[in-house]
């Protein structure tokens, strides 16, 4: 099933308070968490990239926390690129001119077939300078998510599949945050997943 990432999709899953999958307040809390945890880990963020940035709520929230950082929003949706001025690109092969310290990728991998998902994860490992913030619906999440607010067109793969693919290039440190291997900062063993 091919998803059409047009105005009606973003109205339903992003804008309409009755059907959106996440609130703007929750997205701002995610930005606050990421910036606080990265600061705690002493990971400097001079540039970040939100690939699959949607309507840009997280991108703008991160810009408030990192006002001097280089920020880039990338989207495959032609509608969003026209509406918000994002860079048109795909997580599968997008290559920024300069590697961002932080790459954010939320709710993108579930829309890709298995081969493209594997290529996308490899690409995230290439483009992330220090850290990756990743959010994706897994099979195990289907029992706890609000199905009325979840796009059922996503492929809900087992969490272990993502963990195995990511562990080659990243160390999971909790909250959907991954640090690039080899680690440049100290992360105690109990802080790792």
């Amino acid at each position: 099933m091919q998803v059409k990432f047009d105005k009606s999709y973003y109205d339903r899953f992003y804008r309409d308070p009755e059907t959106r999958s996440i609130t703007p307040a929750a997205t701002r809390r995610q930005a606050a968490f990421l910036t606080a945890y990265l600061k705690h880990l002493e990971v400097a963020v001079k540039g970040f990239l939100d690939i699959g940035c949607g309507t840009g709520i997280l991108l703008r929230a991160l810009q408030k926390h990192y006002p001097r950082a280089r920020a880039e929003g990338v989207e495959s949706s032609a509608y969003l690129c026209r509406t918000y001025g994002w860079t048109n690109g795909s997580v599968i092969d997008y290559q920024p001119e300069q590697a961002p310290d932080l790459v954010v990728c939320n709710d993108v991998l579930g829309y890709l077939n298995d081969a493209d998902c594997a290529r996308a994860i490899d690409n995230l490992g290439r483009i992330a300078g220090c850290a990756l913030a990743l959010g994706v619906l897994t099979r195990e999440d289907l029992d706890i998510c609000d199905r009325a607010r979840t796009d059922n067109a996503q492929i809900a793969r087992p969490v272990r599949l993502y963990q195995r693919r990511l562990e080659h290039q990243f160390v999971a440190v909790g909250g959907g945050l991954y640090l690039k291997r080899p680690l440049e900062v100290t992360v105690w063993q109990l802080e790792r997943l």
Side-chain angles (χ1 to χ4, degrees):
M1 172 185 200
Q2 183 67 27
V3 178
K4 190 172 183 183
F5 295 105
D6 58 4
K7 183 179 183 307
S8 64
Y9 173 89
Y10 291 97
D11 285 347
R12 177 178 177 191
F13 291 109
Y14 284 72
R15 296 183 182 115
D16 186 338
E18 299 297 318
T19 60
R20 65 184 170 210
S21 59
I22 190 167
T23 67
T27 303
R28 289 189 296 273
R29 285 193 307 273
Q30 181 187 18
F33 165 76
L34 291 171
T35 54
Y37 197 21
L38 289 168
K39 183 178 181 180
H40 166 73
L41 294 171
E42 297 181 329
V43 174
V45 176
K46 297 178 188 139
F48 62 90
L49 165 71
D50 188 345
I51 192 155
C53 62
T55 59
I57 297 170
L58 183 59
L59 180 73
R60 287 187 293 278
L62 286 169
Q63 284 178 307
K64 289 182 180 178
H65 289 276
Y66 297 118
R68 292 187 187 95
R70 219 176 38 262
E72 183 176 13
V74 175
E75 253 301 332
S76 64
S77 166
Y79 160 71
L80 290 179
C81 290
R82 279 192 314 275
T83 303
Y84 296 102
W86 309 137
T87 301
N88 185 263
S90 169
V91 67
I92 297 165
D93 57 10
Y94 182 75
Q95 293 295 307
E97 290 182 23
Q98 197 171 357
D101 300 304
L102 171 63
V103 172
V104 176
C105 183
N106 281 324
D107 300 319
V108 174
L109 300 181
Y111 288 100
L112 303 176
N113 64 43
D114 291 345
D116 286 344
C117 181
R119 285 194 288 275
I121 292 170
D122 289 343
N123 192 47
L124 289 169
R126 282 190 295 275
I127 65 177
C130 299
L132 169 67
L134 181 66
V136 62
L137 180 74
T138 69
R139 185 174 298 155
E140 293 80 2
D141 295 321
L142 292 176
D143 294 333
I144 59 174
C145 72
D146 182 342
R147 297 300 282 270
R149 293 174 180 260
T150 301
D151 186 359
N152 294 309
Q154 295 179 77
I155 300 168
R157 297 178 181 92
V159 68
R160 189 64 191 128
L161 180 144
Y162 290 109
Q163 290 169 332
R164 277 195 309 270
R165 287 207 174 271
L166 289 162
E167 67 190 8
H168 298 291
Q169 299 180 76
F170 296 99
V171 173
V173 294
L177 187 62
Y178 298 80
L179 297 182
K180 185 110 177 239
R181 291 180 187 272
L183 293 180
E184 296 181 11
V185 297
T186 300
V187 180
W188 303 112
Q189 292 302 311
L190 282 176
E191 294 174 329
R192 302 175 189 213
L193 298 180

